[in-house]
Structure formats: C-alpha cells, structure tokens
Amino acid sequence: MKRVLITGAAGFLGSHLCERFLKEGMYVIGMDNLITGDMRNIEHLMPNPNFEFNHHDVTKFVHVPGELDYIMHFASPASPIDYLKIPIQTLKVGAMGTHNLLGLARVKKARFIIASTSEVYGDPLVHPQTEDYWGHVNPIGPRGCYDEAKRYQEAITMAYHRYHELETRIVRIFNTYGPRMRLNDGRVLPAFIGQALRGEDITVFGDGTQTRAFCYVDDLVEGIYRLLMSDYSLPVNIGNPSEITIGEFAEEIIKLTGTDQKVIYQPLPQDDPKQRQPDITLAKEILGWEPKVSRDEGLRITYDYFRSLPKERLYEESNHRGFESFSASK
C-alpha cells in the first residue's frame, strides 16, 4: 500500500485530498496544527483504518515513521483574513515548513508536491496568466507575507530538485471553492454566501470590475492528482479559466440564494489583484486535464452545503485555534 503524507489535512483543500487518496487505496497520514484547519473537516475519516492524523506544526522538525511514497505540502493560511492576522506563521510555513518537508522527502525518497498559488503572479500585468510569467508582486506590502512565502516555496523546491535530484511537483492553484470552505475565511465566495444566508448586504471591495475565475474543488483535486502522478517538475496552473467580474458574481449569488440583498461597495484592499484568470494550456497538454464542473453546478452544491450547516456556524469568528500561544517573535 502506497503511503502519502498530506500537510494542511484539516483544511478545506487538504480534507478533500485526504478523501481522494484514501479512495485511490493509499494509506493517508494527515498533519495539521489546526491554526486555520478544523477537525470537523476530517472527523468522518478518523474511523478509516488507512487514515491517521498527527497534530503537528511543520515549521518544527517533522518525523514520520516508516516509508513514504508521496509528500503533499498543503499547509498554509490561504485567505487574506488569515494571513494578514498571522503573517509570520504564514512566512514560516512557506519557508521553514517547506524546508523541513523537503528534507523528509529526501530521506524517505518520496515524491514531493507543493501547493503554490496564483498569488505568485501578484497583481498581474499579463492576462491570462501563463506559467512562464514571473509576476508583479509587492514583497513588502501587506499581502507580501503570503505571495513571497509561496514564491520562496517554489524556489527552494526547484533547488532541491536540481541539487538533490528530488522528484518534485509544483501546482499553482487558482481560486477554488466547494464544501468545507469556512464561511468566515474572507474569500469572496463564502463571504457572499454567508452574507446572503445571514440576510446582510453583500460587500464588494472595489468597483466590482476586478475579475476572478472559480474552480470547483473536485476538478482541482483531479488536476493535483494527475500532476503528482506525472513526470513534469515545473509549475502547472490548475484552475477554471471561466472569468467573471466580482460585480457579476455578486448578482449570481443573489440569484442563487433567492435573497434580496443590496450590493454595497468598499475600498479595494492594497495590492488586491485586478484580474485573475489561469491559462491552462499546459495542464491540458501535459495532464490531459480541464475542469468539468460548471460554475452553476458547483455553486448549487456549495450553497446546499452552507445552507445545511447549524445556524451558529454562520456566525463563527475566524478560528485561529491555539494562535494565542504564538508570540510575535516566532
């Protein structure tokens, strides 16, 4: 039985990856420090004899007994509301966490994949974004803690690939959505749906003309799986190229939820990307991958999930569990 370590396992995307690799017949070791992850995302997996969970911070030394075939580093705050509150932890998991796990992959002779992001392109001057675009990032802006952590991740991963001949993969993930997103994580889709469910006005930052392209989580997981199993070591964009303005998206959410909210506008945060759309030509050519789930279908599934949550979940605050134990010096 193949064995895979998945960091960030209790997060939105990590939990879906755990499910997928269990279905592929692998033994899955999930790891998370639960600062932004949530055990409710993986509690249904705990009875599975082929799943184990380790509560651990990967910025500390990582030890996993036995053989490992794959290491998937998906641990990181991923939404602005998180990484703006815990910027040092965000940088550490991108730098020290990646270094620790690359070292583990080298010892175990495991294939290694990192979750990079479309944020490495920053506020792009090229549209749509191709993998050979170097990006337009403000390294000292408020978002720099996340953008530069991910850019460093890519750099050290390629260094291990070239110097130690480690098998590595890099997936650049674009906006993704689906069940188990946190309503309070600050990203546009759960924010809009949460506001609709609470009967609040929908808040659009900026004038609503900025664009995003949303990929349903099952499509993303399929792309990640194919990339991990491929022999391609350079970055690959995985996302849905169907682009929409945030203003149009707000109207779609109002129509989906059958609510009658007003749309109110607030100033655009500093360095917020004006356009975001993946060029997935490479994924099509190398992986034979493209998204299958339409936005209408994916939004219906996601809305039904959020609507099924207990009412108190609609009002939960951001859940930096254990964050009080971290000092600014760490």
Side-chain angles (χ1 to χ4, degrees), residues 138-181:
N138 178 3
I140 59 171
R143 300 171 69 100
C145 61
Y146 183 68
D147 300 358
E148 295 295 355
K150 292 298 188 179
R151 288 160 72 93
Y152 176 83
Q153 265 193 327
E154 292 194 9
I156 192 172
T157 296
M158 288 308 300
Y160 265 74
H161 172 73
R162 293 178 176 123
Y163 187 80
H164 292 301
E165 299 183 346
L166 191 68
E167 280 197 75
T168 60
R169 309 289 182 264
I170 298 172
V171 55
R172 287 181 179 162
I173 298 170
F174 282 69
N175 294 70
T176 304
Y177 69 98
R180 300 193 206 120
M181 293 190 87

Side-chain angles (χ1 to χ4, degrees), residues 223-280:
I224 291 168
Y225 180 80
R226 292 191 189 194
L227 178 58
L228 180 65
M229 298 304 162
S230 77
D231 59 1
Y232 190 76
S233 59
L234 294 175
V236 178
N237 291 337
I238 300 290
N240 192 321
S242 178
E243 188 181 22
I244 186 173
T245 71
I246 297 300
E248 291 169 338
F249 187 61
E251 297 299 331
E252 279 194 5
I253 296 298
I254 291 171
K255 182 179 178 181
L256 170 72
T257 58
T259 50
D260 191 25
Q261 274 71 37
K262 292 186 299 183
V263 177
I264 58 175
Y265 295 87
Q266 297 287 345
L268 191 68
Q270 182 181 340
D271 302 328
D272 193 63
K274 308 299 188 301
Q275 291 181 302
R276 185 56 53 76
Q277 182 190 25
D279 184 312
I280 60 169

